[in-house]
Amino acid sequence: MLGPPGSGKGTQGARLAARHGVPHVSSGELLRAHVQDGTEIGRAAGDAMSRGELIADDLVSAMVLDAVIGPEARGFVLDGFPRTVSQAMAAYEVARHYGVTLHAVVLLEIPYELLLDRLLARGEASGRVDDTVEVIRRRIDVYVEHTLPLVEYYRGRDIVVRVDATGTIDDVTALINSALDDVAHQVDPRLGDC
Ligand code: B4P
């Protein structure tokens, strides 16, 4: 799942994983759990997260890839990772080693001005320290600078699925499901809707 902060990666990633019966692996959730538990990773990441900055590529890559890739992996939804071209290259090397193929990159497209309200509402409800006006603006700048180049990277591999993320949560889910059913048919025409 690729998209700016507040575009619905976590929301839609959880629904998509449930639909396909595979794990939903969110780098943000993993990092927040480390911060909460006071682990070494959490101590290294907490301050940068609260400022809206990215965590070091090698640290995040090791954390996420350890969680998902292995001989028994039969599929997963990755949410928030990779977030830089360097993370994508690390993921590619590990996936190649295990013979895992990335089938689709769902790009949630939404005008940046709609993100602020969504994230401020969540900040009020959840108390997430990075959902404040200043930090949200910084997270959007970080997305444009470090994560948008990934769209070009994946476009070269012809796996980017663009989805309009401006509608309601259910609208966006329906668009994702329909687009991914098309991808599944292209990968294996014998598949029914899944
Ligand atoms: P994340 O946890 O990934 O945070 P996020 O980008 O804000 O996305 P999230 O999934 O939470 O929000 P969503 O759009 O679903 O990252 C947090 C921080 O961790 C980063 O800033 C960075 O510091 C660090 N980090 C994470 N991964 C990293 C990596 N790979 N490398 C380096 N650092 C990393 O939803 C937002 C809100 O919008 C929700 O309240 C939701 O209910 C609402 N919403 C969603 N869809 C909606 C819709 N269609 N209509 C109305 N509201 C909607």
Side-chain angles (χ1 to χ4, degrees):
M1 310 295 296
L2 200 58
S7 58
K9 297 185 299 290
T11 308
Q12 299 297 337
R15 288 180 167 209
L16 186 61
R19 182 175 191 239
H20 292 276
V22 296
H24 169 221
V25 180
S26 155
S27 49
E29 292 293 326
L30 288 172
L31 285 167
R32 279 187 287 279
H34 276 287
V35 171
Q36 175 128 23
D37 296 344
T39 66
E40 202 174 319
I41 292 180
R43 287 196 297 279
D47 184 48
M49 287 178 80
S50 65
R51 287 184 284 111
E53 304 296 338
L54 293 181
I55 310 310
D57 285 332
D58 51 349
L59 196 144
V60 178
S61 297
M63 178 190 74
V64 174
L65 294 171
D66 275 358
V68 293
I69 302 259
E72 73 287 355
R74 67 165 208 91
F76 41 79
V77 173
L78 278 182
D79 157 13
F81 178 90
R83 226 175 180 98
T84 64
V85 172
S86 159
Q87 290 178 17
M89 289 164 82
Y92 176 71
E93 285 307 320
V94 176
R96 200 170 57 152
H97 175 78
Y98 285 105
V100 172
T101 306
L102 203 59
H103 284 118
V105 173
V106 177
L107 175 62
L108 297 173
E109 297 189 298
I110 182 167
Y112 298 140
E113 55 271 21
L114 297 183
L115 302 173
L116 203 59
D117 284 348
R118 283 188 188 184
L119 291 172
L120 287 176
R122 179 176 67 183
E124 273 176 29
S126 73
R128 239 176 86 165
V129 291
D130 56 347
D131 283 341
T132 60
V133 175
E134 224 172 72
V135 180
I136 292 165
R137 293 217 166 100
R138 178 62 193 148
R139 284 157 65 201
I140 293 171
D141 287 347
V142 167
Y143 173 79
V144 171
E145 189 181 342
H146 296 283
T147 308
L148 263 187
L150 265 182
V151 178
E152 267 316 302
Y153 174 84
Y154 283 123
R155 200 168 20 215
R157 291 172 56 190
D158 202 20
I159 52 173
V160 178
V161 175
R162 292 174 179 274
V163 170
D164 175 358
T166 54
T168 66
I169 290 175
D170 285 344
D171 288 343
V172 179
T173 302
L175 290 174
I176 292 173
N177 289 346
S178 150
L180 291 186
D181 284 344
D182 289 346
V183 171
H185 282 289
Q186 282 161 23
V187 172
D188 184 348
R190 293 165 303 173
L191 289 173
D193 283 354
C194 57

